[in-house]
Short mmCIF file of all heavy atoms in Angstrom, two decimals:
data_model
loop_
_atom_site.label_atom_id
_atom_site.label_comp_id
_atom_site.label_asym_id
_atom_site.label_seq_id
_atom_site.Cartn_x
_atom_site.Cartn_y
_atom_site.Cartn_z
N THR O 105 0.18 3.04 4.91
CA THR O 105 1.42 2.27 4.71
C THR O 105 2.57 3.21 4.21
O THR O 105 2.38 3.95 3.25
CB THR O 105 1.19 1.15 3.73
OG1 THR O 105 0.14 0.33 4.15
CG2 THR O 105 2.51 0.30 3.51
N TRP O 106 3.72 3.08 4.82
CA TRP O 106 4.95 3.74 4.35
C TRP O 106 6.12 2.96 4.76
O TRP O 106 6.13 2.22 5.77
CB TRP O 106 4.97 5.21 4.94
CG TRP O 106 5.08 5.24 6.44
CD1 TRP O 106 4.04 5.35 7.35
CD2 TRP O 106 6.26 5.11 7.24
NE1 TRP O 106 4.55 5.31 8.60
CE2 TRP O 106 5.89 5.21 8.60
CE3 TRP O 106 7.64 4.98 6.93
CZ2 TRP O 106 6.82 5.15 9.68
CZ3 TRP O 106 8.54 4.99 7.98
CH2 TRP O 106 8.09 4.98 9.30
N TYR O 107 7.17 3.17 3.95
CA TYR O 107 8.50 2.51 4.22
C TYR O 107 9.57 3.49 3.98
O TYR O 107 9.47 4.32 3.09
CB TYR O 107 8.72 1.32 3.29
CG TYR O 107 7.59 0.27 3.31
CD1 TYR O 107 6.71 0.12 2.25
CD2 TYR O 107 7.47 -0.57 4.41
CE1 TYR O 107 5.69 -0.73 2.35
CE2 TYR O 107 6.42 -1.54 4.43
CZ TYR O 107 5.53 -1.61 3.35
OH TYR O 107 4.56 -2.51 3.44
N GLY O 108 10.68 3.37 4.77
CA GLY O 108 11.90 4.23 4.45
C GLY O 108 12.41 3.90 3.05
O GLY O 108 12.18 2.81 2.48
N LYS O 109 13.11 4.81 2.48
CA LYS O 109 13.60 4.70 1.12
C LYS O 109 14.40 3.47 0.80
O LYS O 109 14.24 2.81 -0.26
CB LYS O 109 14.37 5.96 0.74
CG LYS O 109 13.57 7.18 0.53
CD LYS O 109 14.36 8.34 0.02
CE LYS O 109 13.54 9.53 -0.19
NZ LYS O 109 14.37 10.71 -0.65
N GLU O 110 15.20 3.04 1.78
CA GLU O 110 16.05 1.91 1.51
C GLU O 110 15.27 0.57 1.43
O GLU O 110 15.76 -0.50 1.00
CB GLU O 110 17.18 1.76 2.58
CG GLU O 110 16.72 1.38 3.95
CD GLU O 110 17.89 1.13 4.89
OE1 GLU O 110 18.62 0.16 4.77
OE2 GLU O 110 18.04 2.04 5.84
N PHE O 111 14.00 0.62 1.91
CA PHE O 111 13.22 -0.55 1.90
C PHE O 111 12.20 -0.61 0.72
O PHE O 111 11.51 -1.62 0.45
CB PHE O 111 12.40 -0.71 3.21
CG PHE O 111 13.33 -0.61 4.40
CD1 PHE O 111 13.54 0.58 5.04
CD2 PHE O 111 13.87 -1.82 4.89
CE1 PHE O 111 14.36 0.63 6.15
CE2 PHE O 111 14.69 -1.82 6.00
CZ PHE O 111 14.97 -0.59 6.69
N GLN O 112 12.08 0.53 0.02
CA GLN O 112 11.13 0.59 -1.10
C GLN O 112 11.75 -0.20 -2.32
O GLN O 112 12.89 -0.09 -2.61
CB GLN O 112 10.83 2.07 -1.42
CG GLN O 112 10.22 2.83 -0.28
CD GLN O 112 10.10 4.32 -0.64
OE1 GLN O 112 10.19 4.77 -1.81
NE2 GLN O 112 9.76 5.16 0.36
N GLY O 113 10.83 -0.94 -2.96
CA GLY O 113 11.23 -1.66 -4.20
C GLY O 113 12.07 -2.84 -3.90
O GLY O 113 12.73 -3.37 -4.80
N THR O 114 12.12 -3.36 -2.59
CA THR O 114 12.97 -4.44 -2.23
C THR O 114 12.13 -5.75 -2.18
O THR O 114 12.65 -6.80 -1.91
CB THR O 114 13.63 -4.25 -0.93
OG1 THR O 114 12.62 -4.12 0.13
CG2 THR O 114 14.48 -2.94 -0.90
N GLY O 115 10.86 -5.63 -2.34
CA GLY O 115 9.93 -6.83 -2.20
C GLY O 115 9.33 -6.91 -0.82
O GLY O 115 8.49 -7.75 -0.55
N LEU O 116 9.75 -6.03 0.11
CA LEU O 116 9.26 -6.06 1.48
C LEU O 116 7.77 -5.84 1.50
O LEU O 116 7.04 -6.55 2.21
CB LEU O 116 9.96 -4.98 2.31
CG LEU O 116 9.50 -4.87 3.77
CD1 LEU O 116 10.10 -6.06 4.54
CD2 LEU O 116 9.98 -3.54 4.39
N ASN O 117 7.27 -4.90 0.72
CA ASN O 117 5.82 -4.61 0.71
C ASN O 117 5.03 -5.83 0.38
O ASN O 117 3.97 -6.02 0.96
CB ASN O 117 5.53 -3.48 -0.22
CG ASN O 117 4.05 -3.10 -0.22
OD1 ASN O 117 3.50 -2.85 0.84
ND2 ASN O 117 3.39 -3.17 -1.39
N LYS O 118 5.43 -6.62 -0.57
CA LYS O 118 4.66 -7.84 -1.02
C LYS O 118 4.61 -8.83 0.17
O LYS O 118 3.54 -9.45 0.40
CB LYS O 118 5.27 -8.47 -2.25
CG LYS O 118 4.96 -7.61 -3.49
CD LYS O 118 5.44 -8.33 -4.77
CE LYS O 118 5.02 -7.69 -6.00
NZ LYS O 118 5.53 -6.27 -6.19
N HIS O 119 5.68 -8.99 0.92
CA HIS O 119 5.63 -9.84 2.11
C HIS O 119 4.69 -9.32 3.12
O HIS O 119 3.87 -10.10 3.73
CB HIS O 119 7.03 -9.92 2.70
CG HIS O 119 8.00 -10.85 1.96
ND1 HIS O 119 8.08 -12.20 2.23
CD2 HIS O 119 8.81 -10.67 0.91
CE1 HIS O 119 8.98 -12.74 1.45
NE2 HIS O 119 9.42 -11.84 0.62
N CYS O 120 4.70 -8.05 3.35
CA CYS O 120 3.75 -7.40 4.31
C CYS O 120 2.27 -7.63 3.89
O CYS O 120 1.47 -8.06 4.71
CB CYS O 120 4.01 -5.95 4.43
SG CYS O 120 5.54 -5.51 5.29
N LYS O 121 2.01 -7.37 2.61
CA LYS O 121 0.65 -7.45 2.14
C LYS O 121 0.20 -8.98 2.13
O LYS O 121 -0.97 -9.24 2.47
CB LYS O 121 0.54 -6.91 0.70
CG LYS O 121 0.75 -5.42 0.62
CD LYS O 121 -0.35 -4.64 1.47
CE LYS O 121 -0.37 -3.13 1.24
NZ LYS O 121 0.89 -2.47 1.65
N TYR O 122 1.09 -9.85 1.81
CA TYR O 122 0.74 -11.25 1.88
C TYR O 122 0.29 -11.67 3.33
O TYR O 122 -0.82 -12.28 3.46
CB TYR O 122 1.86 -12.17 1.44
CG TYR O 122 1.57 -13.64 1.39
CD1 TYR O 122 1.00 -14.19 0.19
CD2 TYR O 122 1.58 -14.44 2.52
CE1 TYR O 122 0.64 -15.52 0.16
CE2 TYR O 122 1.25 -15.81 2.53
CZ TYR O 122 0.77 -16.33 1.29
OH TYR O 122 0.40 -17.64 1.25
N LEU O 123 1.06 -11.25 4.28
CA LEU O 123 0.69 -11.62 5.65
C LEU O 123 -0.56 -10.91 6.08
O LEU O 123 -1.46 -11.57 6.80
CB LEU O 123 1.86 -11.22 6.61
CG LEU O 123 3.18 -12.04 6.50
CD1 LEU O 123 4.31 -11.32 7.27
CD2 LEU O 123 2.95 -13.42 7.01
N LEU O 124 -0.72 -9.71 5.74
CA LEU O 124 -2.01 -9.01 6.12
C LEU O 124 -3.21 -9.62 5.51
O LEU O 124 -4.28 -9.73 6.09
CB LEU O 124 -1.86 -7.48 5.76
CG LEU O 124 -0.86 -6.66 6.55
CD1 LEU O 124 -0.58 -5.37 5.86
CD2 LEU O 124 -1.34 -6.45 7.96
N LEU O 125 -3.08 -9.90 4.19
CA LEU O 125 -4.20 -10.50 3.44
C LEU O 125 -4.54 -11.85 3.89
O LEU O 125 -5.70 -12.26 4.11
CB LEU O 125 -3.91 -10.47 1.93
CG LEU O 125 -3.94 -9.12 1.27
CD1 LEU O 125 -3.29 -9.19 -0.08
CD2 LEU O 125 -5.34 -8.54 1.19
N GLU O 126 -3.50 -12.70 4.16
CA GLU O 126 -3.71 -14.05 4.67
C GLU O 126 -4.43 -13.93 6.03
O GLU O 126 -5.39 -14.75 6.24
CB GLU O 126 -2.38 -14.73 4.82
CG GLU O 126 -2.48 -16.16 5.32
CD GLU O 126 -1.07 -16.79 5.48
OE1 GLU O 126 -0.20 -16.24 6.16
OE2 GLU O 126 -0.89 -17.87 4.94
N PHE O 127 -4.02 -13.07 6.90
CA PHE O 127 -4.60 -12.91 8.22
C PHE O 127 -6.12 -12.52 8.07
O PHE O 127 -7.02 -13.06 8.61
CB PHE O 127 -3.86 -11.88 9.04
CG PHE O 127 -4.45 -11.69 10.39
CD1 PHE O 127 -4.13 -12.58 11.45
CD2 PHE O 127 -5.31 -10.64 10.60
CE1 PHE O 127 -4.67 -12.35 12.69
CE2 PHE O 127 -5.86 -10.43 11.93
CZ PHE O 127 -5.50 -11.29 12.95
N ALA O 128 -6.31 -11.53 7.17
CA ALA O 128 -7.66 -11.00 7.03
C ALA O 128 -8.68 -11.94 6.44
O ALA O 128 -9.81 -12.17 7.01
CB ALA O 128 -7.63 -9.74 6.10
N PHE O 129 -8.23 -12.59 5.39
CA PHE O 129 -9.18 -13.63 4.71
C PHE O 129 -9.30 -14.94 5.42
O PHE O 129 -10.30 -15.53 5.36
CB PHE O 129 -8.70 -13.79 3.28
CG PHE O 129 -9.00 -12.57 2.38
CD1 PHE O 129 -7.95 -11.99 1.67
CD2 PHE O 129 -10.29 -12.03 2.25
CE1 PHE O 129 -8.20 -10.89 0.80
CE2 PHE O 129 -10.53 -10.92 1.46
CZ PHE O 129 -9.48 -10.38 0.74
N GLU O 130 -8.18 -15.42 5.96
CA GLU O 130 -8.12 -16.80 6.48
C GLU O 130 -8.26 -16.92 8.01
O GLU O 130 -8.77 -17.93 8.48
CB GLU O 130 -6.82 -17.48 6.02
CG GLU O 130 -6.79 -17.56 4.42
CD GLU O 130 -5.45 -18.22 4.00
OE1 GLU O 130 -4.90 -18.99 4.71
OE2 GLU O 130 -5.15 -17.92 2.81
N LYS O 131 -7.85 -15.91 8.74
CA LYS O 131 -7.92 -16.02 10.21
C LYS O 131 -9.14 -15.32 10.76
O LYS O 131 -9.80 -15.85 11.66
CB LYS O 131 -6.65 -15.33 10.85
CG LYS O 131 -5.33 -15.92 10.29
CD LYS O 131 -5.17 -17.37 10.65
CE LYS O 131 -3.80 -17.81 10.18
NZ LYS O 131 -3.67 -19.27 10.28
N ILE O 132 -9.54 -14.16 10.19
CA ILE O 132 -10.72 -13.45 10.71
C ILE O 132 -11.80 -13.38 9.71
O ILE O 132 -12.83 -12.71 9.93
CB ILE O 132 -10.31 -12.07 11.25
CG1 ILE O 132 -9.66 -11.22 10.20
CG2 ILE O 132 -9.46 -12.22 12.51
CD1 ILE O 132 -9.44 -9.78 10.64
N GLU O 133 -11.71 -14.09 8.58
CA GLU O 133 -12.73 -14.37 7.63
C GLU O 133 -13.41 -13.07 7.08
O GLU O 133 -14.65 -12.97 7.02
CB GLU O 133 -13.80 -15.31 8.21
CG GLU O 133 -13.18 -16.61 8.62
CD GLU O 133 -14.23 -17.61 9.16
OE1 GLU O 133 -15.39 -17.15 9.44
OE2 GLU O 133 -13.83 -18.80 9.26
N ILE O 134 -12.52 -12.17 6.69
CA ILE O 134 -12.98 -10.97 6.01
C ILE O 134 -13.48 -11.23 4.57
O ILE O 134 -12.93 -12.23 3.93
CB ILE O 134 -11.89 -9.86 5.93
CG1 ILE O 134 -11.61 -9.36 7.38
CG2 ILE O 134 -12.09 -8.78 4.99
CD1 ILE O 134 -12.66 -8.46 7.88
N GLU O 135 -14.47 -10.61 4.12
CA GLU O 135 -15.03 -10.86 2.72
C GLU O 135 -14.41 -9.96 1.72
O GLU O 135 -14.33 -10.23 0.56
CB GLU O 135 -16.51 -10.74 2.73
CG GLU O 135 -17.13 -11.85 3.55
CD GLU O 135 -17.05 -13.21 2.99
OE1 GLU O 135 -16.91 -13.31 1.69
OE2 GLU O 135 -17.05 -14.19 3.68
N ARG O 136 -14.11 -8.67 2.16
CA ARG O 136 -13.55 -7.65 1.25
C ARG O 136 -12.51 -6.83 1.88
O ARG O 136 -12.70 -6.35 3.02
CB ARG O 136 -14.63 -6.73 0.77
CG ARG O 136 -14.14 -5.63 -0.19
CD ARG O 136 -15.23 -4.59 -0.50
NE ARG O 136 -14.81 -3.58 -1.40
CZ ARG O 136 -14.16 -2.43 -1.11
NH1 ARG O 136 -13.89 -2.19 0.19
NH2 ARG O 136 -13.78 -1.58 -2.05
N VAL O 137 -11.32 -6.75 1.27
CA VAL O 137 -10.20 -5.87 1.72
C VAL O 137 -10.08 -4.67 0.73
O VAL O 137 -9.91 -4.96 -0.44
CB VAL O 137 -8.93 -6.61 1.87
CG1 VAL O 137 -7.78 -5.66 2.25
CG2 VAL O 137 -8.99 -7.73 2.95
N GLY O 138 -10.28 -3.53 1.27
CA GLY O 138 -10.23 -2.32 0.38
C GLY O 138 -8.88 -1.59 0.54
O GLY O 138 -8.19 -1.74 1.53
N PHE O 139 -8.57 -0.81 -0.51
CA PHE O 139 -7.35 0.02 -0.49
C PHE O 139 -7.77 1.38 -1.17
O PHE O 139 -8.67 1.46 -1.97
CB PHE O 139 -6.28 -0.64 -1.36
CG PHE O 139 -5.82 -2.00 -0.90
CD1 PHE O 139 -6.56 -3.11 -1.22
CD2 PHE O 139 -4.67 -2.10 -0.24
CE1 PHE O 139 -6.15 -4.37 -0.85
CE2 PHE O 139 -4.21 -3.41 0.22
CZ PHE O 139 -4.96 -4.52 -0.10
#
Side-chain angles (χ1 to χ4, degrees):
T105 304
W106 61 268
Y107 306 105
K109 286 184 176 180
E110 69 175 290
F111 304 94
Q112 296 175 15
T114 65
L116 180 73
N117 182 55
K118 286 185 172 63
H119 281 268
C120 290
K121 292 301 190 294
Y122 183 91
L123 289 170
L124 291 166
L125 290 165
E126 181 181 53
F127 180 84
F129 288 124
E130 299 180 23
K131 305 299 183 188
I132 56 174
E133 299 183 350
I134 289 291
E135 294 293 330
R136 178 187 183 274
V137 174
F139 300 80

